Amino acid sequence: MSIKHLLGLEHLPVETITKILDTAGPMKQIISRDLKKVPTLRGKAVATVFYEPSTRTRLSFELAAKYLSADTVGLATASSSVVKGETLIDTARTVAAMGVDVIVLRHPMSGAAELMTRYTDAYVVNAGDGMHEHPTQALLDMFTILESKNRISGLKVAILGDILHSRVARSNIWGLTKLGAEVHVAGPPTMLPAGLEQLGVRVYDRPEAALEGADVVMALRLQLERQRQGLIPSLREYARLYGLNAERLALTKDDAVVLHPGPMNRGVEITAEVADGSRSLITDQVTNGVAVRMACLYLMTVGDASREDID
Amino acid sequence: MKILIKGGTVFDPSAGTLRDLDVLIEDARVIKVESGISGRGAIVLDASGMLVSPGLIDMHVHLREPGYEYKETIATGTAAALSGGFTAVAAMPNTNPVADNPAIIEFIRKQAAAAANARVYPVGAITRGLEGNVLAEMGEMHAAGALAFSNDGRPVVSAGVMRRAMQYARMVGVPIISHCEDDTLVDGGVMSEGLTASVLGLKGIPAAAEEVIVARDLLLAETTGCALHVAHVSTAGSVRLIREAKRRGVPVTAEATAHHFVLTDEAVAGYNTSAKVNPPLRSRTDVQAVLEGLADGSIDVIASDHAPHADYEKAVEFDQAAMGLVGLETTLGLVFTYLVEPGVLTAAEALTRLTANPARILGLPETVLKPGAVADITVIDTHCEWEVDPNRFLSKSQNTPFAGFKLRGQAVATIVAGKIRKHSGVRSQ
């Protein structure tokens, strides 16, 4: 099986998700070796095109490509012709015209990755588009959950925080529900998107009900600008009402685990005690991110001949 | 020169009737409407099986000239109007420079006369530069030919300014056409709030963004006595507010566009920028309410809100894409396919919302085919099935979400002041 573009989990079949998660295991072993290099993607070129600041996602993709022996180049907004007003479409054409096989795109607007696929022959990986999706983050979250729980089906997963603006939440909702988890989300009413219940998600405006008996808790990063936008009165009140602390964590199952997509605002959406505590898998998530991205790049560029066009 | 339209079914909006009659035109006027008129000495249009209606009026169109001629010109926009069966359009003032003074109104009329396609009724801006602060010269513009005033596209934010505008417009004797939208509730939204927006990760526009201004303007119309026309009604709440206000005797009329009674927000799926429009496409419940509003008369008018944009303004990220779609060449087909065929409206009711009602609101002469009337006539083949192909539009722009739609009903002849300006498919002898 192979994937052409990886734009989101909404339209990705369960078998493909499972295939990626299965492939990430062997990839993780490569990372733990002394000699972290396999020749699988030798001769392939991967470009990371980031229109938004990012450290871990970009580093994670570049390392994933390098561990597989692909050549990598990076384009960041500040140093590129993007500041001169070049459109996304022109950038897509330009990068592809230089022979790049895979474009990893991070963009502040929803739908940017899909738009790019219409104007380039290169494979496109969505590394986060606006509020839409961040599929590799959800895949690494699911891989981390699998490592710890050996299953996803039947688990109760609570996602806390700014659901409205979160592409991580959206990708996780698609992926987790496809694999049979029960997803509960909670956040301030000003940060809850309309209509989520129609996707089979339970929605709460206080975190306690979502946390009750949960197997997995995912705390989302609160963009600090949300306070300036008037969506919450203060960070202090947010931390008090929605922050993941030891007291709230006690509502979950005894063996519940804690995830966070990073970077964290310690003391806002999560206390240091929980973030650095024994239930936290946040460091594993970072390692797993590289493994999952290796799996994605591998399946996209080195598949069987019959590629299916999956978005 | 005489033209005889023979064998058709003539629609009379004053009586709401459809009768099999012939129509004889001489020069710019109708001279006879009877059965069995002889065609001797006349060009004969065989309209058997077709509807013969007073010319259709689209009271909400953006012709883009002056200033945005790359999207549309008065000549191309009025050619598109004729193609779609409209003998007259009302042109919105958000041009560059803005139509906020008599010189621009006169310019628009001059360009329309030179194009000699459909008639153009200019709509003037309510405030200078559409900025929402200082009243534009409504009296001067009215004298130059403006028939209504609107800040379409850039709604009047201040309730105080809107109240003064209504007080003043009442004195001039023209309606205020309100684009109802509260920018603080839109808050950067790009499509209707709801599941589709949530899934696409696009910022939603709540229904209240329209409804709070509809409510405000209804109250202002009630207290000032100014005729208020609510443009492009898109939500169930707006329909309800207008219905209640009409019952109370508020001088209000309203319009709905074809896209708001045919499409829902689901048309945006896949980041389809051709379905990005303001007000946004709404939920199934809202579409149902707009249909009910059209059926019970709460909504008086069907208009296109024809809003042409160049390809490159749509082939971008959804957030960046221009809002609006072209509608002059699809509205009539959508009306017959989605209103008349399913029985939401009879053909007579639908045509009333495209002829007599907009004429009444704009203070135009009665639209009726009788001896002495100006010969603005649309001949409609209600059976003709056709597929929407934007490449065949006469409009300069092709931004439509209806490409590939199979529609039934099309204008086959559009006659303005006794001249056949569009003529396709009618067998003439």
Side-chain angles (χ1 to χ4, degrees):
Chain A
M1 182 192 308
S2 68
I3 312 162
K4 180 153 183 192
H5 304 299
L6 181 61
L7 303 182
L9 299 191
E10 182 187 358
H11 300 294
L12 207 61
V14 173
E15 313 80 69
T16 310
I17 294 174
T18 312
K19 180 78 182 170
I20 294 168
L21 297 175
D22 288 348
T23 309
M27 293 297 174
K28 190 172 178 182
Q29 289 168 14
I30 297 170
I31 304 171
S32 61
R33 289 182 199 163
D34 260 1
L35 191 64
K36 300 182 205 14
K37 198 115 179 150
V38 292
T40 321
L41 296 194
R42 200 166 56 196
K44 300 284 185 191
V46 176
T48 54
V49 179
F50 275 54
Y51 288 78
E52 264 185 356
S54 153
T55 43
R56 78 179 63 203
T57 302
R58 183 165 183 172
L59 205 58
S60 182
F61 268 109
E62 285 182 7
L63 285 171
K66 285 179 195 295
Y67 292 159
L68 294 171
S69 300
D71 293 307
T72 63
V73 287
L75 177 72
T77 46
S79 60
S80 73
S81 59
V82 170
V83 289
K84 293 183 227 151
E86 186 173 89
T87 68
L88 179 64
I89 294 167
D90 289 337
T91 305
R93 287 180 174 143
T94 304
V95 173
M98 294 182 189
V100 165
D101 299 284
V102 180
I103 299 173
V104 178
L105 177 72
R106 161 71 60 96
H107 197 281
M109 291 178 202
S110 301
E114 180 172 324
L115 180 69
M116 197 173 232
T117 63
R118 290 183 224 155
Y119 298 91
T120 173
D121 293 328
Y123 305 150
V124 177
V125 182
N126 180 8
D129 63 328
M131 309 188 289
H132 176 227
E133 287 225 40
H134 190 356
T136 58
Q137 176 69 45
L139 288 164
L140 78 87
D141 291 338
M142 289 192 282
F143 182 79
T144 307
I145 295 168
L146 271 176
E147 271 192 334
S148 157
K149 302 282 177 198
N150 286 316
R151 69 187 170 106
I152 284 179
S153 184
L155 294 181
K156 176 174 175 179
V157 181
I159 306 177
L160 306 185
D162 181 2
I163 313 295
L164 179 63
H165 299 94
S166 177
R167 52 197 175 209
V168 176
R170 280 176 182 74
S171 286
N172 266 297
I173 286 169
W174 292 118
L176 289 166
T177 52
K178 281 183 187 194
L179 295 191
E182 196 183 295
V183 179
H184 297 239
V185 304
T190 49
M191 294 180 175
L192 291 173
L196 274 195
E197 300 83 354
Q198 294 169 61
L199 303 179
V201 175
R202 302 283 297 272
V203 182
Y204 308 91
D205 59 11
R206 297 297 288 259
E208 286 76 16
L211 288 168
E212 194 72 50
D215 299 283
V216 178
V217 186
M218 201 177 288
L220 298 175
R221 174 178 168 78
L222 182 79
Q223 300 288 342
L224 301 181
E225 75 205 54
R226 302 299 171 216
Q227 189 208 343
R228 284 198 307 279
Q229 292 169 343
L231 294 171
I232 49 165
S234 73
L235 297 179
R236 183 172 63 182
E237 179 161 313
Y238 182 84
R240 181 192 295 274
L241 292 177
Y242 297 97
L244 184 60
N245 53 27
E247 193 186 351
R248 293 211 168 93
L249 190 58
L251 298 168
T252 64
K253 287 209 181 115
D254 292 340
D255 61 349
V257 293
V258 174
L259 304 182
H260 189 295
M264 284 182 281
N265 301 302
R266 282 191 173 77
V268 182
E269 71 267 7
I270 190 165
T271 62
E273 188 190 2
V274 173
D276 305 324
S278 60
R279 314 264 208 96
S280 169
L281 300 180
I282 296 169
T283 311
D284 302 71
Q285 283 177 277
V286 178
T287 313
N288 293 341
V290 180
V292 162
R293 287 169 181 127
M294 288 169 76
C296 292
L297 291 174
Y298 168 75
L299 292 170
M300 289 174 80
T301 51
V302 189
D304 56 34
S306 61
R307 294 191 172 280
E308 23 175 343
D309 199 348
I310 294 165
D311 55 21
Chain B
M1 190 184 70
K2 287 184 183 178
I3 300 169
L4 178 65
I5 304 170
K6 197 165 180 54
T9 303
V10 174
F11 169 56
D12 178 353
S14 63
T17 53
L18 293 164
R19 293 167 66 197
D20 293 341
L21 295 167
D22 299 340
V23 179
L24 185 63
I25 300 162
E26 183 163 19
D27 299 326
R29 298 202 177 257
V30 174
I31 55 170
K32 217 190 259 187
V33 183
E34 289 167 9
S35 51
I37 301 176
S38 154
R40 191 164 308 149
I43 296 168
V44 180
L45 294 184
D46 178 0
S48 322
M50 298 187 187
L51 276 179
V52 180
S53 170
L56 308 183
I57 300 166
D58 186 342
M59 71 176 288
H60 195 138
V61 166
H62 297 270
L63 294 179
R64 302 300 190 205
E65 188 181 349
Y68 304 102
E69 289 84 355
Y70 67 96
K71 299 173 194 257
E72 193 82 283
T73 64
I74 289 170
T76 59
T78 51
L82 292 177
S83 173
F86 293 96
T87 57
V89 299
M92 287 295 164
N94 58 340
T95 48
N96 184 17
V98 171
D100 63 358
N101 65 77
I104 302 292
I105 301 293
E106 278 159 15
F107 170 80
I108 292 168
R109 294 185 64 196
K110 232 171 74 189
Q111 292 296 86
N117 291 321
R119 296 177 196 274
V120 175
Y121 301 119
V123 175
I126 295 172
T127 60
R128 276 191 214 166
L130 296 174
E131 281 175 3
N133 303 316
V134 182
L135 294 185
E137 298 167 323
M138 294 191 210
E140 296 275 6
M141 285 192 279
H142 182 55
L147 295 189
F149 295 96
S150 178
N151 272 20
D152 191 64
R154 279 186 68 188
V156 178
V157 173
S158 156
V161 171
M162 192 53 139
R163 180 165 180 269
R164 286 196 289 275
M166 287 199 196
Q167 290 172 320
Y168 202 84
R170 188 189 175 193
M171 175 277 291
V172 178
V174 294
I176 289 284
I177 300 174
S178 181
H179 168 128
C180 296
E181 183 182 12
D182 181 321
D183 200 44
T184 65
L185 285 167
V186 173
D187 194 23
V190 294
M191 69 172 292
S192 185
E193 185 176 81
L195 178 63
T196 304
S198 294
V199 165
L200 292 173
L202 293 174
K203 192 158 166 49
I205 302 172
E210 174 171 312
E211 292 156 3
V212 297
I213 301 296
V214 170
R216 178 196 81 176
D217 288 354
L218 287 169
L219 291 170
L220 295 175
E222 188 166 17
T223 53
T224 60
C226 175
L228 168 69
H229 179 73
V230 180
H232 43 53
V233 170
S234 78
T235 77
S238 297
V239 176
R240 194 185 65 234
L241 286 163
I242 291 161
R243 182 180 291 129
E244 287 166 2
K246 282 191 164 184
R247 212 170 282 152
R248 235 176 24 248
V250 179
V252 60
T253 54
E255 82 196 13
T257 70
H259 47 279
H260 287 117
F261 63 71
V262 174
L263 300 175
T264 68
D265 56 349
E266 290 172 31
V268 175
Y271 302 98
N272 177 10
T273 56
S274 75
K276 183 176 179 184
V277 60
N278 191 21
L281 301 174
R282 297 286 186 184
S283 71
R284 179 67 52 202
T285 311
D286 293 309
V287 168
Q288 192 54 40
V290 169
L291 290 171
E292 282 162 20
L294 280 163
D296 73 11
S298 301
I299 298 172
D300 310 79
V301 168
I302 297 161
S304 71
D305 195 4
H306 180 81
H309 291 295
D311 284 350
Y312 66 84
E313 295 172 298
K314 286 289 193 177
V316 290
E317 298 88 335
F318 195 90
D319 284 341
Q320 304 271 64
M323 289 187 165
L325 53 89
V326 291
L328 279 168
E329 292 167 84
T330 49
T331 294
L332 186 59
L334 292 165
V335 164
F336 274 91
T337 310
Y338 289 91
L339 296 179
V340 178
E341 208 164 281
V344 176
L345 297 179
T346 63
E349 288 167 340
L351 290 173
T352 301
R353 285 152 181 72
L354 289 162
T355 54
N357 289 358
R360 193 186 69 237
I361 293 162
L362 294 172
L364 297 168
E366 189 185 19
T367 56
V368 64
L369 300 181
K370 65 180 183 194
V374 170
D376 285 4
I377 299 171
T378 305
V379 181
I380 304 162
D381 181 346
T382 59
H383 305 290
C384 156
E385 285 189 37
W386 60 288
E387 187 174 322
V388 178
D389 176 3
N391 293 317
R392 300 182 65 180
F393 285 170
L394 299 187
S395 169
K396 216 171 202 182
S397 296
Q398 286 82 41
N399 50 304
T400 174
F402 295 113
F405 271 53
K406 291 189 176 55
L407 302 181
R408 191 194 280 264
Q410 194 173 37
V412 289
T414 311
I415 298 168
V416 182
K419 290 200 174 60
I420 303 172
R421 301 279 172 89
K422 170 210 163 105
H423 180 198
S424 73
V426 182
R427 298 170 298 276
S428 57
Q429 296 169 350

